[in-house]
Amino acid sequence: MPDEKKKKIVKTIKVDVDKCNGCRACEVACSALHAAPPYSSNNPARSRIRIIREPLKDIYVPVYAGEQAKAECLGRDKYVIDGKEYEECAFCRASCPSRDLFKEPDSGLPLKCDMCECDPTLEKPLCVQWCLVNALTYEEREEEAEEEPRPEDVEVSVEALVDKYGLEKVLDTMDRLSLSKKG
Amino acid sequence: MRYAETGYNLEIDLTRGNIERVETDPRDTELYLGGLGTNAKLIWDRVPPDVEPFSPDNLLIFGAGLLCGTPATGCNRTIVSTISPQTQLLAFSMMGGFFAPELKYAGYDKVVLRGKSPELVYIWINNDKVEIRDAAHLAGKGAVETAELIRQELKEPKAQVAAIGLAGENRVFFASIEQGRSSASRGGIGAVMGDKKVKAIVVRGTRDINVSRPAEYMQLCNEVLQYIKFRNENPIPGVMPILAGLGSPQEMKVHDEKWHTENFMWGNSRLRRKDFWNEEIAQAWAETLDSMRRRLISCYNCPMTCGATIAPPGRSVYMMKCFSKLTYTMAAMSDLEFGLGIAQSATEYGVDGFSAPQVMAFALELYEAGILTDQDFPGMPADNEGRFYWLLDRIVRREGIGDLLANGTYWAAKEIGQGAEAYAHNTIKKHEQLPLKLSMLNPIYFLMYSTGEKINITQIEGQFPQAPFPTRAERETFVKDWFQVPDDKFKQYFLDWEPRGEKSMPFYPTVQMCCDIVDWQEKMHYIDDALGMCAGLSSFPLKPPYHIHNYPKFISAGAGIAMDEEKLTQAVKRYRTLVRAINIRRGMRRKDEKPPADHWKKRFPELEKDLLDTYYRFKGWNDEGIPTEESLRELGLEYVFTDLEKRGVYADSGDTPPQGTGAQNEKEV
Ligand code: SF4
Ligand code: SF4
Ligand code: SF4
């Protein structure tokens, strides 16, 4: 039925910085969950949520790891909220060459919050469960999915791949993929 | 593979500037767990009794608890151990905050400092990279200020810093080590750090800490979190608010200070003000707290928010915890605005919030009594509050009378003479105590005050209610879900405990019951100090989430050491006895084990003797409080027995001090 729009679930974590007490329990939980095997080790430096914490300036910002930025921004942002000046890039989610946030400590590989997609699925993201003071709350809502991607968008994505890996590699991969899809 | 612990200590010889990463023996972990337990082992092995607190041979150990760095909620304590300049015994103050987990992530269980640096330095531990760095530019700087400056110069905003202020640099006997929202305050540990000329230890770590049986361990952690939630929603009825919930006493949250201000003593632990609290004061103090308190904050991995950032007008922001909220206010007979203001200076200088205010109040009492005179206080302001600021400055600089006062009330009184001793009335083992004076002897507290080797009542009390509940019905409700007891007999003790009549204090709980109760309470504190657990979630509050039944599981699943209640009890007994042996070897005897003479008005000398005799026997100590050969052998501490015997300890009643000079005689040259 061509008229019916597709639905998708949007997962949101609402961050209430006023409630954060800087304890970093969220970092602990996240890094433990993502250890292999799960919970076998703990290391906040591997967490996909990090607390920007400057108690003397009353700054507490839980930040989630988003997409990797290949290069650092040319300009930087500084925010002043309620008279408090936040450090450059404080609210940015990127794993970026300009800072050590959201990178695996040894390999430097980027980290990204996956909303605790794991098996068995969790009722709520673990960082949210471990934040007993409710600075983090989890919400799910349904939204209409976007239409099929437009051909231009596909083109842009493929171009990016070609940029990164070279045309030959991408073509090779395409061949392999289509073969395996056809069985 | 080592679990929960890293298996490495960082050994730093400050005299030679030598740094070594030393693998530890896993058998020691089994025997002494970690934290305090293994700290005590190092001190026993390497600090003989003739070593003075300010000798290069004294060790200063920063030990992270065995489970620090694992996901166990509230497990964040660094146990700092050394020989105290004030008590001349083992000091083992703990600090919360963020240091211990960071140290574990950097790959170390302990930092062991020995020797003395020729110049003021700080130590920078960044995973494998460890440096001793010049700190000349930090001399005289505040502890909080120092931490900020170091983070900036290293460009490491995430580094954790444990620093001393001026008081530590000048070897004040009650100098603290300040760290984030926490401090290791008791016993003058900061003075030893200053003597070693270490301004700060700075640590950053990005390594993993492993646990042995991950799913099981996480399950235990989740159960603790669930129980914390339950306890936060269900405070214990019938006890005062600060005893009803979990965490360190929630002083940063409460506005109603009727109980503290009317039951604790003011001045130099002198005056009780029974009708102090009224509407007007309540309102003024609430306004003060609300206007200065910025945010309630927690230690690492803990939801309890026991601390707060405080911004007194015109002063820099600092972090406050617990009862230092009121100690300055009450010592100076002033108000909360003064207390929160001077605590900012005190935090930067780095002094203990119990001793410092009492020492200053003591000085002013001596002045009033004419024992000290105007000549001793040249330039002291006329107003009371100004005097406290003035005295604090003299003390941390060791200027004039401040040089004497910096040794605490006991040593200062001794040196001042002329009857000053009577004014140093609130110490145990030369260490200032909570300002409490009560009417009738409490036999449980008598034992805890006398024998507690942390020499601070809050570090031994906790699991058993402080007083009987008025009705049997209330007591029955209380014991219903009291699963933390090691044995059901404790429930019966409590059920039968009446406020008046035959089964009331001082003769009930009976002597034997008191031994059981004290032993249990103390045991829980010692477990916390080895594991690095905050007492606020374990040994201090009633009905805590950590207890004798789940601790063995935490240790087995976390550290991979087979453990049950019996084995844990034995391990605790082992390092608890070792702590005692260290102090016995340094001259501590029965005569030192007593509460301040005026702590209770109504005393019962015969009962007290019976209590101490029975408790000593119960613990496996002889009449002098010395662990017996038999009990040492049973704990596998033959080497302790051999040493004590060789030193003639069993023949010595402690009347002659084991060595000549005290630290107080050693002056800076
Ligand atoms: S667990 Fe919650 S309160 Fe603690 S740091 Fe994370 S967001 Fe803040
Ligand atoms: S949602 Fe899950 S993956 Fe994302 S930060 Fe929280 S715990 Fe980590
Ligand atoms: S209970 Fe309080 S003092 Fe203890 S770890 Fe938690 S926040 Fe810190």
Side-chain angles (χ1 to χ4, degrees):
Chain A
M1 281 189 277
D3 271 332
E4 195 172 291
K5 300 234 165 140
K6 279 191 193 150
K7 302 276 187 189
K8 67 173 178 191
I9 304 280
V10 177
K11 300 174 173 182
T12 315
I13 293 173
K14 197 171 83 191
V15 180
D16 186 341
V17 297
D18 290 334
K19 286 192 181 145
C20 175
N21 64 49
C23 71
R24 300 169 61 195
C26 47
E27 297 182 4
V28 172
C30 179
S31 81
L33 173 69
H34 289 86
Y39 312 121
S40 60
S41 71
N42 175 243
N43 179 359
R46 291 185 199 275
S47 170
R48 291 119 205 257
I49 176 173
R50 299 305 300 274
I51 309 301
I52 310 259
R53 181 180 175 276
E54 287 182 73
L56 300 181
K57 292 192 197 157
D58 200 41
I59 285 175
Y60 299 82
V61 195
V63 193
Y64 283 89
E67 295 300 330
Q68 179 190 20
K70 267 200 277 179
E72 60 188 273
C73 302
L74 288 176
R76 302 277 171 85
D77 296 329
K78 245 189 187 180
Y79 286 81
V80 179
I81 306 171
D82 278 344
K84 294 183 254 178
E85 186 176 304
Y86 290 77
E87 65 180 57
E88 274 177 9
C89 316
F91 297 95
C92 177
R93 299 169 49 125
S95 170
C96 158
S98 76
R99 58 179 183 182
D100 69 355
L101 213 60
F102 304 138
K103 288 176 190 155
E104 283 284 355
D106 296 326
S107 61
L109 288 172
L111 293 164
K112 187 181 159 196
C113 165
D114 58 10
M115 282 283 179
C116 294
E117 294 289 355
C118 63
D119 193 25
T121 45
L122 302 179
E123 179 200 329
K124 274 189 222 168
L126 204 61
C127 55
V128 174
Q129 290 186 39
W130 275 55
C131 181
L132 294 199
V133 298
N134 299 324
L136 310 175
T137 38
Y138 180 66
E139 283 162 12
E140 269 180 12
R141 63 174 192 276
E142 244 178 40
E143 258 181 20
E144 281 174 3
E146 288 206 6
E147 302 286 320
E148 283 282 289
R150 291 168 304 167
E152 308 88 281
D153 292 343
V154 178
E155 229 174 272
V156 172
S157 312
V158 176
E159 254 171 40
L161 285 176
V162 172
D163 272 358
K164 187 165 179 189
Y165 298 108
L167 187 56
E168 215 161 298
K169 274 233 169 88
V170 173
L171 285 178
D172 274 2
T173 314
M174 288 296 181
D175 281 350
R176 257 205 324 276
L177 276 179
S178 52
L179 269 180
S180 68
K181 285 264 154 90
K182 282 173 194 154
Chain B
M1 169 127 84
R2 304 281 280 263
Y3 295 104
E5 57 180 347
T6 66
Y8 289 93
N9 289 345
L10 198 57
E11 293 267 359
I12 302 182
D13 181 339
L14 295 158
T15 309
R16 303 192 353 231
N18 192 42
I19 301 169
E20 243 177 301
R21 180 168 170 265
V22 177
E23 191 170 357
T24 56
D25 187 342
R27 282 171 304 184
D28 280 345
T29 314
E30 262 199 88
L31 291 172
Y32 308 96
L33 305 181
L36 171 65
T38 38
N39 281 8
K41 177 74 165 73
L42 286 172
I43 300 241
W44 172 270
D45 287 345
R46 289 165 53 183
V47 186
D50 54 345
V51 170
E52 296 287 342
F54 294 149
S55 150
D57 295 333
N58 189 9
L59 297 182
L60 178 63
I61 307 174
F62 292 72
L66 177 62
L67 299 182
C68 291
T70 74
T73 294
C75 195
N76 51 43
R77 259 44 184 177
T78 312
I79 294 83
V80 192
S81 308
T82 191
I83 302 301
S84 155
Q86 190 187 40
T87 66
Q88 316 237 331
L89 304 172
L90 179 69
F92 47 108
S93 201
M94 306 88 50
M95 54 189 186
F98 294 77
F99 191 89
E102 199 74 32
L103 185 64
K104 296 288 269 295
Y105 300 136
Y108 313 98
D109 299 318
K110 295 185 200 297
V111 181
V112 183
L113 302 180
R114 67 176 187 276
K116 252 187 223 202
S117 165
E119 305 296 337
L120 194 66
V121 294
Y122 73 88
I123 293 162
W124 168 217
I125 304 166
N126 185 6
N127 292 322
D128 283 347
K129 284 217 310 278
V130 183
E131 293 169 52
I132 301 175
R133 294 174 65 112
D134 176 50
H137 58 299
L138 300 170
K141 295 269 191 279
V144 182
E145 198 186 356
T146 297
E148 286 308 301
L149 288 169
I150 292 179
R151 278 194 202 100
Q152 280 165 21
E153 84 180 37
L154 296 174
K155 297 199 179 56
E156 284 283 352
K158 293 196 181 72
Q160 303 300 337
V161 184
I164 54 170
L166 206 49
E169 285 181 49
N170 288 329
R171 307 194 306 178
V172 172
F173 283 12
F174 41 91
S176 61
I177 300 170
E178 300 286 328
Q179 181 254 137
R181 70 163 267 352
S182 188
S183 62
S185 294
R186 306 292 277 157
I189 285 172
V192 176
M193 187 151 155
D195 182 63
K196 297 199 173 303
K197 292 227 182 305
V198 175
K199 180 72 179 170
I201 301 187
V202 187
V203 57
R204 171 83 180 116
T206 58
R207 298 281 158 76
D208 298 352
I209 286 295
N210 301 302
V211 296
S212 168
R213 297 200 294 280
E216 200 181 321
Y217 194 75
M218 206 57 181
Q219 176 62 29
L220 290 164
C221 293
N222 278 319
E223 283 166 18
V224 160
L225 270 187
Q226 291 314 316
Y227 190 70
I228 291 175
K229 254 193 227 168
F230 167 82
R231 283 285 278 105
N232 286 350
E233 284 153 15
N234 297 279
I236 292 170
V239 297
M240 65 191 115
I242 63 156
L243 296 178
L246 297 175
S248 297
Q250 296 292 342
E251 281 297 294
M252 295 300 107
K253 287 174 196 145
V254 296
H255 283 114
D256 183 353
E257 290 292 2
K258 181 178 169 62
W259 185 76
H260 274 131
T261 54
E262 296 188 349
N263 286 289
F264 281 59
M265 309 301 272
W266 294 67
N268 178 26
S269 190
R270 195 61 81 180
L271 182 70
R272 181 147 174 212
R273 297 166 94 178
K274 276 192 179 154
D275 301 310
F276 174 77
W277 196 249
N278 60 34
E279 252 329 284
E280 203 184 313
I281 293 171
Q283 207 186 331
W285 287 29
E287 270 168 32
T288 301
L289 188 60
D290 290 342
S291 69
M292 293 192 197
R293 186 184 59 202
R294 284 231 190 133
R295 186 183 295 244
L296 295 169
I297 55 173
S298 277
C299 305
Y300 181 79
N301 192 17
C302 179
M304 295 310 299
T305 58
C306 310
T309 37
I310 304 282
R315 295 169 159 270
S316 57
V317 181
Y318 70 105
M319 292 173 250
M320 168 170 268
K321 54 260 153 188
C322 302
F323 195 54
S324 49
K325 173 186 174 188
L326 292 188
T327 52
Y328 293 95
T329 296
M330 290 178 70
M333 311 275 282
S334 184
D335 57 17
L336 189 60
E337 193 178 344
F338 163 78
L340 295 184
I342 196 170
Q344 189 269 337
S345 303
T347 305
E348 289 285 11
Y349 285 148
V351 286
D352 175 40
F354 282 116
S355 290
Q358 273 180 53
V359 170
M360 297 189 276
F362 156 84
L364 293 176
E365 264 193 0
L366 293 181
Y367 179 58
E368 267 164 44
I371 297 175
L372 292 175
T373 64
D374 282 327
Q375 285 167 1
D376 297 305
F377 301 96
M380 181 168 75
D383 68 302
N384 191 41
E385 287 152 4
R387 286 177 166 178
F388 271 75
Y389 277 105
W390 186 88
L391 280 168
L392 184 59
D393 277 353
R394 301 284 87 63
I395 290 171
V396 300
R397 296 189 163 80
R398 280 192 175 273
E399 280 171 10
I401 191 70
D403 191 29
L404 285 184
L405 296 173
N407 295 344
T409 53
Y410 174 87
W411 296 111
K414 247 187 135 158
E415 195 139 339
I416 293 165
Q418 308 165 60
E421 272 104 334
Y423 294 80
H425 65 116
N426 199 38
T427 62
I428 299 176
K429 295 166 187 157
K430 312 179 177 65
H431 191 46
E432 290 81 13
Q433 299 298 306
L434 281 192
L436 262 175
K437 300 292 161 200
L438 304 164
S439 56
M440 194 176 50
L441 178 90
N442 174 328
I444 304 171
Y445 274 74
F446 170 79
L447 280 181
M448 294 195 294
Y449 276 116
S450 301
T451 63
E453 265 156 285
K454 277 162 107 179
I455 325 182
N456 197 33
I457 195 66
T458 56
Q459 297 298 335
I460 180 169
E461 65 183 351
Q463 290 308 284
F464 201 80
Q466 298 190 357
F469 290 5
T471 65
R472 183 144 190 124
E474 284 168 276
R475 301 196 289 272
E476 271 164 6
T477 313
F478 180 82
V479 302
K480 227 175 257 162
D481 60 354
W482 199 16
F483 60 84
Q484 288 86 349
V485 289
D487 187 302
D488 272 349
K489 69 184 174 192
F490 290 97
K491 294 186 184 172
Q492 202 56 49
Y493 296 173
F494 183 66
L495 279 173
D496 295 341
W497 194 16
E498 303 273 356
R500 253 161 249 91
E502 207 183 306
K503 294 213 159 160
S504 73
M505 291 193 285
F507 295 105
Y508 190 94
T510 65
V511 171
Q512 193 55 49
M513 290 173 190
C514 287
C515 293
D516 284 338
I517 293 167
V518 172
D519 185 62
W520 169 34
Q521 304 203 80
E522 182 179 77
K523 178 162 75 184
M524 299 321 296
H525 280 276
Y526 272 79
I527 299 178
D528 290 347
D529 294 348
L531 303 186
M533 187 58 67
C534 170
L537 291 175
S538 178
S539 45
F540 184 73
L542 296 166
K543 299 186 180 174
Y546 294 100
H547 41 80
I548 189 65
H549 308 303
N550 62 2
Y551 263 150
K553 297 181 195 163
F554 267 94
I555 298 170
S556 351
I561 298 170
M563 193 58 73
D564 55 25
E565 286 177 30
E566 204 181 315
K567 198 174 158 199
L568 178 57
T569 300
Q570 190 77 349
V572 177
K573 205 172 170 194
R574 182 175 301 116
Y575 59 80
R576 196 271 169 263
T577 305
L578 194 56
V579 166
R580 171 144 293 238
I582 291 169
N583 288 335
I584 289 290
R585 196 163 74 159
R586 297 191 67 85
M588 187 187 82
R589 294 292 183 277
R590 183 181 183 124
K591 65 175 168 35
D592 303 304
E593 302 226 283
K594 49 178 194 255
D598 58 357
H599 187 78
W600 291 286
K601 259 201 215 90
K602 276 179 87 176
R603 299 288 292 262
F604 298 80
E606 263 168 59
L607 172 64
E608 291 173 20
K609 180 177 179 306
D610 191 16
L611 279 163
L612 209 53
D613 284 344
T614 314
Y615 187 66
Y616 277 178
R617 237 173 293 137
F618 177 91
K619 290 289 236 189
W621 307 337
N622 71 15
D623 279 349
E624 278 300 326
I626 306 169
T628 62
E629 174 175 3
E630 191 191 353
S631 69
L632 290 170
R633 286 197 191 281
E634 192 197 313
L635 295 166
L637 299 176
E638 290 83 0
Y639 63 92
V640 173
F641 172 71
T642 314
D643 185 275
L644 292 182
E645 199 186 36
K646 200 177 74 202
R647 292 178 192 276
V649 159
Y650 290 101
D652 170 23
S653 64
D655 289 334
T656 44
Q659 67 262 347
T661 55
Q664 81 284 359
N665 296 328
E666 199 194 320
K667 288 265 156 66
E668 190 85 86
V669 274

